[in-house]
Amino acid sequence: MPTTLRLSVLKVSQPIGDYYIASIRAQDLVEMSYSDVRRMVQSERDIERYLGIQRPVSTARVKQIRKYLQGRDATFPTAVILAVEEKCATFEPGQQSGGILTIRSFEGAEGDEESIPFDRVAKVIDGQHRIAAFMDEDKNWQFDFQRPFEVNVAIFVGADISVQANIFATVNLQQTKVSKNLVYDLTELAKTPSPHKTCHNVTVALDSQRNSPFFQRIKRLGSATPGREKEPLSQAAFVESLVKFISNDPIEDRNKLLDGVRIKTASIMELQKTPFRNLFLHGEEVDIAEILFNYFSAIRNKWPRSWDNLGQTGNLLPRSNAFKAFMVYLRTDLYASIVGESFGRVPTTMEFSEALRHIHASDADFTARNFAPGSSGQSMFLKLFRGEIDISDMYE
């Protein structure tokens, strides 16, 4: 492991003080940085106090970023923010605001200051999940990129813990999180096919077609669409429910398609879990849209008052909880029971209507009194659809 790193940097002066921006090899960043995770400890006087500024690392998030890194269009355009102790950094001014920043390990004299090894030189203020994604389970560098992968960094030298905490809080509290609805909507611009792009296209088609059961009912960008009164479903909820029909790993599928890898046709066993996968692989978006069109038309025909009464307080049928339950039921139970092994066939609205006849519930039953918000209410919907409970059981 190296003990010194020289970086060409630009010095930035802001009210908080000076810091440096640079481009650094991802592997060097992994080798020199660490995260100070916030934890509660006991002091000598038994007073509980907190140390560190970082949140614990989310394993799920790291796995998701790691998978993204495997695509040939992976990018981290925003800066990773680092804090380096003053005794580990030397700046040599160059022309204008540029210069060389040398970052090195620190050898403390015996009985004097503690030594700082190179792998503890840079504390991560923001970006710990991006850095962790480059590591394997043993926290070692794991990628062999065919092209350079550099990361832009902002380096604060000599910032004390209060300044570091202020930077962390500002970055994580003041920025507005991007809506998933907007992210999915932007997939329309991508040239490469992907599970999310297909689901987006289907969602837009069903929202746009005048005789669709979802006509003008899907909130596209996370806020109300001008000119519409009620939009009970979000685009994110629709896409996230539909993508499970297509792929167990949408990011991996996207990366393969981006690399020109031909994905093999799914087997009958695989189609039991992702029944629309081959429709996706063969580009049959219209058939996917038609299946959902017919299915939810049957639902609308069975409970017309609840489906159409978007303004009624407590009416849950048009909303996301019931929608998600209907989608799970279609994927895990209903579709295969209708088509058998003919996955990809488009059942008619009449076929779906016949398959829903066993559900003994009226328009007035789809209320918050019978179906609680969240996962418990969705579970009750599923039990009702599967015939595991009857609506009378819920009243009792």
Side-chain angles (χ1 to χ4, degrees), residues 39 50 109 126 134 151 187 206 208 223 257 268 274 321 393:
R39 61 204 183 280
Y50 286 97
D126 188 68
F134 287 105
V151 179
T187 62
L206 290 171
S208 305
S223 58
L257 292 168
I268 293 295
T274 51
N321 227 24
D393 300 325

Side-chain angles (χ1 to χ4, degrees), residues 32-275:
M32 68 185 283
S33 64
Y34 73 99
S35 295
D36 191 12
V37 177
R38 191 165 178 81
R39 61 204 183 280
M40 190 167 66
V41 299
Q42 291 288 124
S43 72
E44 294 178 358
R45 297 181 180 179
D46 292 329
I47 299 174
E48 290 179 333
R49 59 194 180 96
Y50 286 97
L51 296 176
I53 59 173
Q54 283 283 2
R55 298 159 292 189
V57 171
S58 166
T59 303
R61 187 176 174 194
V62 169
K63 287 182 178 178
Q64 189 176 36
I65 298 173
R66 186 176 294 146
K67 196 163 294 180
Y68 167 72
L69 284 173
Q70 295 168 6
R72 62 184 175 92
D73 64 343
T75 179
F76 292 154
T78 56
V80 169
I81 305 176
L82 306 173
V84 176
E85 290 199 32
E86 195 168 4
K87 56 194 173 188
C88 294
T90 304
F91 176 63
E92 304 167 40
Q95 294 182 347
Q96 297 181 340
S97 61
I100 300 295
L101 183 69
T102 302
I103 299 174
R104 62 175 64 86
S105 58
F106 175 78
E107 292 292 336
E110 186 174 351
D112 200 354
E113 296 180 273
E114 290 185 2
S115 297
I116 301 176
F118 190 75
D119 61 0
R120 301 281 295 180
V121 159
K123 180 194 292 185
V124 181
I125 298 178
D126 188 68
Q128 62 171 346
H129 287 90
R130 280 170 282 171
I131 296 173
F134 287 105
M135 305 178 190
D136 60 20
E137 302 302 325
D138 296 321
K139 301 189 182 303
N140 296 316
W141 174 263
Q142 68 163 338
F143 284 102
D144 182 20
F145 290 106
Q146 300 303 311
R147 299 179 303 279
F149 198 116
E150 298 180 341
V151 179
N152 57 312
V153 293
I155 303 172
F156 288 80
V157 175
D160 63 28
I161 188 65
S162 63
V163 173
Q164 295 174 30
N166 179 53
I167 296 168
F168 175 82
T170 301
V171 168
N172 288 281
L173 293 180
Q174 300 303 321
Q175 293 184 357
T176 302
K177 186 177 180 181
V178 176
S179 165
K180 283 186 178 180
N181 297 287
L182 175 58
V183 173
Y184 292 138
D185 207 62
L186 292 174
T187 62
E188 184 176 6
L189 303 178
K191 296 179 180 179
T192 305
S194 73
H196 283 121
K197 181 178 182 180
T198 288
C199 293
H200 163 79
N201 292 342
V202 170
T203 303
V204 171
L206 290 171
D207 179 71
S208 305
Q209 191 170 341
R210 181 166 294 277
N211 61 340
S212 163
F214 294 106
F215 178 61
Q216 295 189 348
R217 294 165 74 108
I218 300 172
K219 192 182 299 180
R220 289 281 300 276
L221 297 178
S223 58
T225 306
R228 299 186 185 184
E229 292 186 6
K230 299 290 181 181
E231 294 172 306
L233 295 175
S234 71
Q235 179 170 326
F238 205 108
V239 169
E240 288 171 2
S241 291
L242 179 56
V243 78
K244 295 174 182 176
F245 286 75
I246 288 172
S247 175
N248 290 320
D249 198 332
I251 296 176
E252 183 178 352
D253 284 342
R254 175 189 175 277
N255 288 344
K256 286 181 177 178
L257 292 168
L258 192 63
D259 288 335
V261 176
R262 184 175 180 178
I263 300 175
K264 67 177 183 179
T265 301
S267 66
I268 293 295
M269 184 174 296
E270 291 171 318
L271 291 170
Q272 297 289 341
K273 295 182 178 180
T274 51

